[in-house]
Amino acid sequence: RNNHSIDVKDIIPAAKKRLRELKLDDFESLVSLRLMGKQRIWGIKIDNVLKILWWDPEHLICPSPLKHT
């Protein structure tokens, strides 16, 4: 529940641009690992290895709408 795949189409434009710069824009999804609160680690899973891309302390790469608002 706290760790899951996110489609690249759903992340913010700045993150998509960074993937292009890193020549990693051929992946369709990223993995989001929730640390605590808003903090996330983002990566790409290749076989059984997670290549870490970003630390997202404010949950800005793929913000989710607040529930019950």
Side-chain angles (χ1 to χ4, degrees), residues 23-34:
K23 300 191 183 335
L24 295 172
D25 56 331
D26 55 336
F27 289 89
E28 293 182 14
S29 65
L30 302 176
V31 175
S32 169
L33 303 177
R34 181 175 180 240

Side-chain angles (χ1 to χ4, degrees), residues 11-26:
I11 63 175
I12 62 173
K16 291 177 192 174
K17 180 181 177 194
R18 184 64 178 141
L19 285 174
R20 284 191 299 276
E21 292 169 356
L22 295 170
K23 300 191 183 335
L24 295 172
D25 56 331
D26 55 336

